[in-house]
Amino acid sequence: MTVHESAPVRSTTARSTTGPDDEERAPGTPAWWTRAVVYQVYPRSFADSDGDGIGDLRGILSRLDHLADLGVDVLWLSPVYPSPQHDNGYDISDYEGIDPIFGTLDDFDALLEAVHARGMKLVMDLVVNHTSDEHPWFQESRSSLTNAKRDWYWWRDPRAVAASDLPVEPAEGASPQAPTAAELPVAPVEPNDWRSAFSGPAWTFDETTGQFYLHLFAPQQPDLNWENPEVRAAVYAMMNRWLDRGVDGFRMDVINLISKNLEQVDGGAQASGIGFQMGPRLHEFLQEMHEAVFAGREADLITVGEMPGVTVDDARLFTDPSRRELDMVFQFEHVSLDQGTDKFDPRPLDLVALKRSMGRWQEGLADVGWNSLYLGNHDQPRHVSRFGDDGTYRYESATLWAAILHLHRGTPYVYQGEEIGMTNVPFAGPEDFRDIESVNYYREAVVEGGRPADEVLAGLRAMSRDNARTPVQWDATPTAGFTTGTPWIPVSPHAVEVNVEADRASGRSVFAFYQRLIELRHTDSTVALGRFTMLEPDHERLYAFTRDGDDDQLLVVGNVSGDDLEVPLLAGWAEAEVVVANYPERAAAAGQVLAPWEVRVLRARQA
């Protein structure tokens, strides 16, 4: 049995030079991103160059060699545009500038040049379902009922409420009766019952014009009205200017919300939340975007759409190259399986359900479209804490999940800090949270709802987005090498042990393990394109599958538990080559028992 050691070498495999249009590639030629790995940078928390406690573009530039050494192909940059920062930059007030907290357009150009010089690409976050309420477009729109941009956002009159629906307290000694018109409540009522993703109604009343505006997220994030062709034209023009500047594509935030069901918008109290997902014109809008922005360009571009609620059948349509919509989508099915009544009601991992979900997506996009592969990002807690053991077996569970994810068919996404096994944070109390979703949830559940604070805090500690947003841990110094100032959110106390400097020097390096997986994506056709088959789908502790290439087969087996696990199917692989393993000596011995959180990737050559 041959063991291949992790190799910290950046692949020099040639990439395709065709554009995104399927007809521009030679028949049967896979797109360049089938062999690519994307790395997400959350700028506020990556690296701070000026000591103000907030990460910035020059900080990213100073750490680019870390990403080049890792071997990633694409740097996805979360929003750096001017913003009031109500939702950490996802409330944009100017689509074509850089927020001063991150730097300048010159800084951006320098970063872009340096990324390209290292053979990588840079993808921008595109947030066009909504803007900031401080964006000039919205400032004009809310100024009057007749403003030229009034219809750029969703405005509706208050809902009419029948007097019979509003009982009033009768005077002492009087019989109950319906209120007169003069007794109707003064407070206006929302046009429908849609709820914001960040708690509370999805509508806010604007005193200036006496109407409500729609915001599926915070009140400071009003939704753009994509039914208006002027809105779409303005968005496409902005996207073209960024591509002309040299960026290599877009990750599109909640892009499946841009088309609303008009009957649901005006549907009154019974309007369902499904009215703002997968609206009737979504495919039309995405095809129009492709034609207006991407068609005919010769650059190696990439588009990925974040789509809460998307199904496999939907994704086949969105990512079918012949339809010219998107290259891949982010789906949320697999990261919703451990949630109870809401996302802050965490449940233990059901491995069978996870395999069922992942297998369905692998099968569904096997012949049409393409998968994006992720477990963590800026909206998810750290997956080594969520799905693994972040204590005794932190290295083993971090590398197990890395191998399982990267050996699926699709484009893997690495979230900053994941490559060293960063963990969740032991937040002490509500004052430690910065994320608007977490802060609002605590207020609504505890302050207004009367739920026990300890119960709510336990859910927030496990699932808050802030777990992923604490500074990257570069070294063991008090501010983890992130800043010389006071970080905008405290550094995790785990940085003393878990940091880039220590991990890269370790004989059991998570970073080196990721290097090996990324190298395989670049150089191994079976890893990139091989057929996927899930094994042992009903096993509660074993994650196992094969990847079949033209002349070889890969077996991936992982023990998703803290106890030894006997795996009889390994008996037929005793002579196989060990491609990668987190217990290399055990893998080389070819035994059938997996240690806690052990993963092996084995190769058998076809006769």
Side-chain angles (χ1 to χ4, degrees), residues 189-249:
V189 180
E190 292 82 7
N192 67 24
D193 284 350
W194 285 359
R195 301 285 292 175
S196 160
F198 294 159
S199 302
W203 297 91
T204 289
F205 187 70
D206 188 67
E207 296 284 353
T208 302
T209 57
Q211 287 188 318
F212 283 89
Y213 66 86
L214 177 66
H215 54 88
L216 298 181
F217 296 90
Q220 298 88 359
Q221 295 170 289
D223 278 41
L224 284 165
N225 178 10
W226 274 66
E227 296 291 320
N228 187 329
E230 293 179 355
V231 170
R232 304 199 301 274
V235 168
Y236 304 155
M238 172 268 293
M239 294 171 68
N240 272 303
R241 285 190 283 272
W242 280 112
L243 292 183
D244 291 344
R245 198 174 195 100
V247 305
D248 301 291

Side-chain angles (χ1 to χ4, degrees), residues 156-399:
R156 290 295 184 271
D157 289 327
R159 189 195 315 164
V161 180
S164 59
D165 294 333
L166 295 166
V168 294
E169 192 71 24
E172 187 175 351
S175 300
Q177 60 182 2
T180 65
E183 293 171 319
L184 287 174
V186 175
V189 180
E190 292 82 7
N192 67 24
D193 284 350
W194 285 359
R195 301 285 292 175
S196 160
F198 294 159
S199 302
W203 297 91
T204 289
F205 187 70
D206 188 67
E207 296 284 353
T208 302
T209 57
Q211 287 188 318
F212 283 89
Y213 66 86
L214 177 66
H215 54 88
L216 298 181
F217 296 90
Q220 298 88 359
Q221 295 170 289
D223 278 41
L224 284 165
N225 178 10
W226 274 66
E227 296 291 320
N228 187 329
E230 293 179 355
V231 170
R232 304 199 301 274
V235 168
Y236 304 155
M238 172 268 293
M239 294 171 68
N240 272 303
R241 285 190 283 272
W242 280 112
L243 292 183
D244 291 344
R245 198 174 195 100
V247 305
D248 301 291
F250 298 98
R251 175 267 186 187
M252 303 178 184
D253 188 67
V254 293
I255 198 66
N256 63 320
L257 307 186
I258 60 175
S259 173
K260 274 76 168 175
N261 186 317
L262 298 182
E263 292 182 358
Q264 290 284 310
V265 173
D266 299 317
Q270 301 306 312
S272 164
I274 62 173
F276 53 73
Q277 291 183 359
M278 309 296 174
R281 301 186 67 188
L282 181 56
H283 290 288
E284 173 193 343
F285 291 161
L286 292 176
Q287 290 168 5
E288 181 184 72
M289 176 190 290
H290 186 280
E291 182 63 27
V293 179
F294 302 103
R297 288 184 178 266
E298 296 181 357
D300 286 346
L301 303 178
I302 185 172
T303 58
V304 55
E306 182 195 35
M307 293 189 167
V310 69
T311 67
V312 173
D313 288 341
D314 293 327
R316 284 175 61 89
L317 296 176
F318 289 123
T319 64
D320 181 344
S322 68
R323 293 174 59 85
R324 302 187 187 95
E325 296 184 24
L326 298 169
D327 294 326
M328 63 194 84
V329 302
F330 282 145
Q331 53 94 3
F332 287 67
E333 181 180 300
H334 66 302
V335 291
S336 303
L337 296 172
D338 61 344
Q339 299 171 12
T341 55
D342 58 38
K343 71 173 289 184
F344 296 112
D345 178 25
R347 304 295 171 87
L349 172 66
D350 182 339
L351 187 65
V352 173
L354 180 66
K355 291 188 292 185
R356 187 178 301 121
S357 173
M358 297 289 279
R360 184 189 309 113
W361 281 84
Q362 288 287 298
E363 180 180 355
L365 298 183
D367 57 341
V368 174
W370 192 249
N371 271 293
S372 60
L373 307 173
Y374 78 95
L375 289 173
N377 59 35
H378 67 291
D379 285 334
Q380 304 295 330
R382 293 290 181 178
H383 73 259
V384 69
S385 299
R386 183 179 188 178
F387 302 132
D389 179 341
D390 61 9
T392 302
Y393 295 109
R394 184 187 62 84
Y395 167 81
E396 290 81 3
S397 57
T399 50

